Amino acid sequence: MKATCHVCIHHCRLEPGQRGLCRARRNISGVIQCENYGRITSLALDPIEKKPLRLFYPGSLILSVGSYGCNLKCPFCQNHEISMAAPDCRDVPYLSPDALRDKALAYRKAGNIGLAFTYNEPLVGWEYIRDTASLIRKAGMKNVLVTNGTASLSVLEEILPFIDAMNIDLKGFREEYYQKLGGSLAVVKEFILRAAAECHVELTTLIVPGENDREEEMEEEAAWIASVIASVNPASEIPLHITRFFPPISDEGSGRHRCEAGIPSCRACRKISEKCVCGKLLASSPSKQKHVLSFGFVMVFAKLRFHSPPVPVQSAWHSHPRIHSLPDLFCPESPHRSPETFPGNR
């Protein structure tokens, strides 16, 4: 018997045994089931800034977990090995919610503040997030969600009571661009509005030259974020993390990795070796912005104003622990080696 999945905008209508577009949900005997429940492809103790989150427990570490599957088809995905995969779930290590909670608690002494659901699109397996996040909350630790925001509000309501902070991809500010990726700008905006009303939210836009890099689009995006702040809590802040397309592209095509969103070119924004410089914009209001440049996990801060001339940047350097490799995170009975993590822009 056919069944329809209502987790996201695609509403996949599936034949028995068929997987949805996300590759993580399947029609089993007429019921849509989460096939990637507890199946862990990636696990690492990361700096919180890598999610990225700038205003949520800065300088801390968080145990970051990923599965497989995603409901978008971004051609620039840096985690495509897991987000666009549909492995036999029997070949992927399993961790129950209780076991993952215990792992998070075990690394508390190392500075871990909780659990971040990331790497693939977590909400295609929202049931596991709900069950695990509730245990993390009871243990007195924090839950972070890194998501593309392309999920139904009913799914959001299921997990929202347990989430302390989110980084949500705002991939562009044109509906036609979202359609290329298999998504919906309107749905993501609605998701952001609801999430921002309940927990700390930061946003990320990956600039893809020729697709979403027009200045007027970035100005509209920043203005909309400011309107969200005004409607939710005028005293709050929603950082917009502006990241550069990777793998590296030519300087001619990436010249706008300087200050974006209407802020004129700043001498401090420049390419350093072959790695990208990630501009991060704190949209507190349309007229006043704080710009944050990221060199790896080291932050440089500068306060800028729209249409002001370039100003020198005063540096405030913060060292962060290196990413920790945790070889013992998976169940000892699993016959697999610990898979690589896939950090990077999504």
Side-chain angles (χ1 to χ4, degrees):
M1 180 174 64
K2 284 186 176 182
T4 302
C5 179
H6 297 285
V7 166
C8 75
I9 62 172
H10 298 295
H11 295 110
C12 297
R13 184 149 178 83
L14 306 175
E15 298 282 355
Q18 185 182 9
R19 289 189 179 102
L21 180 144
C22 68
R23 304 169 182 83
R25 306 187 71 83
R26 191 174 191 174
N27 179 351
I28 300 176
S29 301
V31 178
I32 303 296
Q33 295 190 21
C34 174
E35 201 173 34
N36 72 347
Y37 187 98
R39 300 296 175 174
I40 308 303
T41 62
S42 309
L43 202 55
L45 192 60
D46 284 341
I48 194 74
E49 285 81 5
K50 188 181 168 189
K51 298 307 99 189
L53 288 172
R54 178 65 190 92
L55 299 183
F56 186 78
Y57 291 85
S60 64
L61 298 174
I62 192 162
L63 188 60
S64 302
V65 61
S67 185
Y68 63 86
C70 184
N71 55 355
L72 294 182
K73 292 184 176 181
C74 304
F76 45 78
C77 181
Q78 295 292 298
N79 290 341
H80 62 87
E81 296 95 333
I82 55 175
S83 68
M84 298 183 183
D88 187 332
C89 64
R90 295 171 297 181
D91 294 332
V92 181
Y94 174 80
L95 280 180
S96 69
D98 290 284
L100 188 53
R101 183 268 321 275
D102 292 344
K103 296 293 183 184
L105 285 170
Y107 284 92
R108 211 170 193 173
K109 291 181 180 179
N112 179 38
I113 65 169
L115 201 61
F117 302 91
T118 181
Y119 300 133
N120 70 311
E121 172 47 51
L123 292 181
V124 299
W126 65 269
E127 296 93 336
Y128 186 68
I129 297 175
R130 176 198 59 197
D131 297 346
T132 307
S134 64
L135 297 177
I136 293 291
R137 174 65 63 83
K138 289 177 183 176
M141 302 184 81
K142 303 299 180 184
N143 288 299
V144 168
L145 177 68
V146 181
T147 176
N148 60 32
T150 307
S152 66
L153 290 183
S154 62
V155 166
L156 177 60
E157 296 297 339
E158 289 282 350
I159 57 100
L160 201 49
F162 310 111
I163 301 300
D164 298 288
M166 292 189 198
N167 184 286
I168 305 171
D169 287 339
L170 185 53
K171 294 182 182 292
F173 215 65
R174 293 289 184 270
E175 193 65 58
E176 54 269 28
Y177 179 56
Y178 259 95
Q179 289 174 3
K180 290 181 180 181
L181 308 179
S184 166
L185 174 60
V187 167
V188 174
K189 289 168 70 174
E190 190 176 20
F191 188 100
I192 291 170
L193 278 166
R194 180 68 188 103
E198 298 295 333
C199 70
H200 176 71
V201 167
E202 303 192 17
L203 306 175
T204 296
T205 298
L206 173 67
I207 300 299
V208 180
E211 294 290 350
N212 64 346
D213 60 343
R214 290 177 296 178
E215 289 192 20
E216 59 269 27
E217 181 175 340
M218 296 304 297
E219 288 174 345
E220 290 174 22
E221 181 177 335
W224 180 80
I225 295 169
S227 73
V228 173
I229 295 170
S231 66
V232 172
N233 179 5
S236 66
E237 294 175 320
I238 298 180
L240 170 59
H241 300 260
I242 301 175
T243 57
R244 175 185 165 193
F245 177 75
F246 192 85
I249 50 179
S250 67
D251 288 336
E252 290 77 16
S254 61
R256 296 163 82 164
H257 69 283
R258 58 173 175 75
C259 302
E260 288 284 352
I263 298 178
S265 183
C266 175
R267 287 186 296 273
C269 302
R270 60 188 182 274
K271 186 178 179 184
I272 295 185
S273 70
E274 289 300 318
K275 295 186 178 180
C276 62
V277 175
C278 304
K280 299 183 180 181
L281 182 68
L282 184 63
S284 57
S285 73
S287 60
K288 185 177 181 180
Q289 311 291 339
K290 181 189 292 181
H291 196 76
V292 183
L293 305 178
S294 171
F295 303 86
F297 297 120
V298 181
M299 302 296 176
V300 182
F301 304 95
K303 287 187 177 181
L304 305 175
R305 289 179 178 274
F306 265 91
H307 309 303
S308 62
V311 295
V313 174
Q314 295 180 346
S315 300
W317 298 94
H318 299 273
S319 61
H320 288 279
R322 296 177 67 86
I323 301 171
H324 291 264
S325 176
L326 307 178
D328 61 330
L329 284 171
F330 292 94
C331 300
E333 62 271 17
S334 295
H336 317 82
R337 64 178 177 83
S338 298
E340 297 177 2
T341 57
F342 298 97
N345 297 328
R346 288 200 304 106

